[in-house]
Amino acid sequence: MFEEIYQAFLRTYRNQATRKDTANYLSSVYAMYKPSTYMRYLDSFLHMMDGTQFASVVPINLSVYLLQCIERDFGVSALQQALLAEKQHIQYYYDVCGSASKGLRTALQALASQHDLQIDFSTPY
């Protein structure tokens, strides 16, 4: 399931599908989420690819899977950029909600360490 979500997100990233079409397609295939939820997850993925801050919370297991796919398909430098976007997201979320996202930070730290990336997820700022 996660691979199909990733592939649909990639089609949008490559301008082969619109955000709305991708969200509607995924919602029709995997009805556990509404199109608006898939669109938020897609937007977060696009921000990961650009290395920019995003606001929507993505389930940890999906975030980690997307990051692993980014590394697989685009290399460690793209992964580093995506992890930095995640770090900005964690800071944003902490500033808005006061949540430290410990589970996400732990998973991201493990992924960064696995690739010898010097990104510290130990605490929000």
Side-chain angles (χ1 to χ4, degrees), residues 9-71:
F9 287 2
L10 268 185
R11 286 189 291 277
T12 303
Y13 175 72
R14 293 178 173 149
N15 295 316
Q16 297 169 337
T18 67
R19 291 169 56 250
K20 183 177 180 180
D21 288 344
T22 297
N24 286 335
Y25 165 74
L26 288 171
S27 183
S28 72
V29 174
Y30 303 110
M32 67 188 144
Y33 299 120
K34 297 177 184 179
S36 60
T37 301
Y38 281 113
M39 193 160 316
R40 287 194 317 273
Y41 295 168
L42 171 58
D43 288 344
S44 295
F45 170 76
L46 295 173
H47 282 284
M48 287 180 202
M49 293 299 292
D50 292 339
T52 56
Q53 177 182 305
F54 57 94
S56 292
V57 175
V58 178
I60 294 171
N61 55 350
L62 179 57
S63 287
V64 169
Y65 186 81
L66 293 173
L67 291 163
Q68 290 169 334
C69 290
I70 289 169
E71 187 275 328

Side-chain angles (χ1 to χ4, degrees), residues 43-108:
D43 288 344
S44 295
F45 170 76
L46 295 173
H47 282 284
M48 287 180 202
M49 293 299 292
D50 292 339
T52 56
Q53 177 182 305
F54 57 94
S56 292
V57 175
V58 178
I60 294 171
N61 55 350
L62 179 57
S63 287
V64 169
Y65 186 81
L66 293 173
L67 291 163
Q68 290 169 334
C69 290
I70 289 169
E71 187 275 328
R72 177 191 75 201
D73 294 345
F74 296 93
V76 174
S77 62
L79 172 63
Q80 182 174 14
Q81 181 170 290
L83 285 169
L84 290 171
E86 284 277 8
K87 186 170 181 159
Q88 292 175 57
H89 162 71
I90 290 168
Q91 181 61 50
Y92 167 83
Y93 195 70
Y94 180 76
D95 291 345
V96 171
C97 302
S99 173
S101 306
K102 185 176 181 181
L104 178 59
R105 288 185 298 112
T106 300
L108 298 176

